Amino acid sequence: MAETTRHPEPRYGNRPTMKDVAARAGVGLKTVSRVVNSEPGVTPDTERRVQEAIDALGFRRNDSARVLRKGRTASIGLVLEDLADPFYGPLSRAVEEVARAHGALLINGSSAEDPEREEELVLALCARRVDGLIVIPAGDDHRYLEPEIKAGIATVFVDRPAGRIEADMVLSDSFGGAREGVAHLIAHGHRRIGFIGDQPRIHTATERLRGYHTAMTDAGITVEESWVSLGSTEPERVRLAAETMLSGPEPVTALFAGNNRVTVTAVRVLAGRERPVALVGFDDIELADLLGITVISQDAAAVGRTAAEHLFRRLDGADHSPARVELPTKLIPRGSGELRPA
């Protein structure tokens, strides 16, 4: 007997349509449309048959036509620097909670601190017609967004200001937080304080460095060039910077870490040293309370929530000049920043 070749039905790409639902339920397309869109004019028995057909076929409504009618997609985009960074977890969650409360879907993307990748992601989200954007900028020129903003896409920048355009922004007080953290070290007797920060093109890095210099100047301390190191937050670079500052005849007696990634590496470097060195880090880190790490904490959830609420106010028609919101930071003493010079 000759074998009959069987061709399995394709698993993907053949989504059921409203026409399929109508045929299975034995009703017209308009009836299916009314059931799908919760419109009146359908008897309970007919609605039941249509719903059974929908469930059996796994039909899902295509919202494209509704988008074209209403001009809104009920979705917003969030472009982060790095999804793996602990700072962005609570920020993203807070944005999502606000979006959900407004019946909107959140779409996330990561720029990996690459300006070209940021622009690519932002424009891809705009092409998908998101209603609004929340952007943690990687670049310093956002003029590419001007046509999108003029076309009605509400945009809020977070953590760092937009570059070369006027736009809403929600920031933490990087300058004030760093100034307070360094002043805290000075109050505990330190005069030789090292600063290790992120790349100088990043707004938060320069603001925290400015806070460091201001606190040192206020205390009448002249900063030596060897006490400051800006650059990549890769562990090897940070480790070398810390070990250089901690070596020689007159090493620093305290370190101020410019962000959470720098703090983690600094903790590892200091853990292997016999002589105690004070440490204050900008941003809280996991287990910092158990390790006794003094930090300048910024409320990432509050930043995300504030940005999202501001975005939805814009979407609801708020019309005013671009706003700058700056949220305060908080010093949390846990022991490492209270060590006195050896």
Side-chain angles (χ1 to χ4, degrees):
M1 180 184 292
E3 291 187 7
T4 302
T5 303
R6 298 181 63 189
H7 298 283
E9 294 184 4
R11 292 180 61 197
Y12 307 110
N14 294 322
R15 295 180 179 179
T17 65
M18 288 177 63
K19 185 176 180 181
D20 297 327
V21 174
R24 187 181 182 95
V27 298
L29 275 174
K30 183 61 179 174
T31 300
V32 176
S33 176
R34 284 174 176 158
V35 172
V36 168
N37 293 295
S38 301
E39 295 174 356
V42 182
T43 66
D45 181 64
T46 301
E47 182 177 358
R48 177 185 55 76
R49 295 206 324 271
V50 171
Q51 192 59 56
E52 286 175 352
I54 287 172
D55 294 341
L57 294 171
F59 171 80
R60 293 292 180 272
R61 181 177 65 186
N62 185 338
D63 283 341
S64 299
R66 295 174 71 247
V67 168
L68 291 173
R69 287 199 310 271
K70 297 184 177 182
R72 293 277 287 270
T73 62
S75 63
I76 64 171
L78 172 61
V79 177
L80 302 165
E81 174 202 344
D82 182 358
L83 290 169
D85 190 316
F87 175 73
Y88 295 120
L91 186 153
S92 176
R93 189 162 55 250
V95 171
E96 186 170 21
E97 287 172 356
V98 174
R100 184 180 180 187
H102 284 81
L105 176 71
L106 176 67
I107 306 171
N108 279 343
S110 175
S111 70
E113 201 63 74
D114 180 348
E116 291 185 4
R117 174 62 177 158
E118 174 212 297
E119 181 175 346
E120 177 187 321
L121 272 172
V122 167
L123 293 181
L125 289 167
C126 291
R128 283 159 178 75
R129 301 189 63 172
V130 294
D131 300 323
L133 290 165
I134 295 176
V135 181
I136 289 87
D140 56 8
D141 187 349
H142 293 92
R143 288 176 294 178
Y144 71 85
L145 252 176
E146 285 182 328
E148 311 299 337
I149 294 173
K150 288 179 181 177
I153 294 182
T155 306
V156 178
F157 287 82
V158 173
D159 196 40
R160 310 163 189 173
R164 307 184 72 174
I165 64 170
E166 294 293 321
D168 295 322
M169 66 186 79
V170 177
L171 316 172
S172 290
D173 184 8
S174 286
F175 166 77
R179 183 179 183 179
E180 182 180 16
V182 175
H184 185 73
L185 290 168
I186 294 170
H188 285 81
H190 296 277
R191 308 283 293 178
R192 302 177 64 83
I193 303 171
F195 178 95
I196 305 177
D198 211 331
Q199 301 183 61
R201 65 178 177 82
I202 297 174
H203 170 79
T204 50
T206 57
E207 282 296 283
R208 291 166 196 177
L209 178 60
R210 188 167 70 89
Y212 163 83
H213 277 294
T214 300
M216 298 291 271
T217 299
D218 289 346
I221 302 171
T222 300
V223 175
E224 295 184 15
E225 186 177 339
S226 61
W227 296 354
V228 175
S229 178
L230 296 181
S232 164
T233 57
E234 289 297 315
E236 184 61 18
R237 201 285 301 182
V238 174
R239 183 185 65 79
L240 288 173
E243 290 180 346
T244 299
M245 293 179 189
L246 294 166
S247 62
E250 291 187 296
V252 298
T253 62
L255 289 174
F256 185 85
N259 66 25
N260 52 10
R261 285 165 289 189
V262 175
T263 302
V264 169
T265 301
V267 169
R268 292 194 172 111
V269 171
L270 298 181
R273 304 185 70 86
E274 293 181 6
R275 184 172 60 183
V277 177
L279 172 67
V280 174
F282 202 109
D283 288 337
D284 215 342
I285 60 172
E286 190 174 4
L287 302 182
D289 53 339
L290 296 178
L291 296 171
I293 309 301
T294 297
V295 299
I296 298 296
S297 175
Q298 50 181 338
D299 191 338
V303 171
R305 185 167 53 253
T306 301
E309 289 172 348
H310 196 88
L311 182 74
F312 280 100
R313 282 197 293 272
R314 285 290 192 192
L315 290 173
D316 288 340
D319 185 18
H320 52 73
S321 299
R324 176 187 177 113
V325 179
E326 193 166 74
L327 301 180
T329 56
K330 180 182 179 182
L331 172 69
I332 304 177
R334 295 188 178 121
S336 70
E338 293 69 57
L339 295 173
R340 292 192 169 271

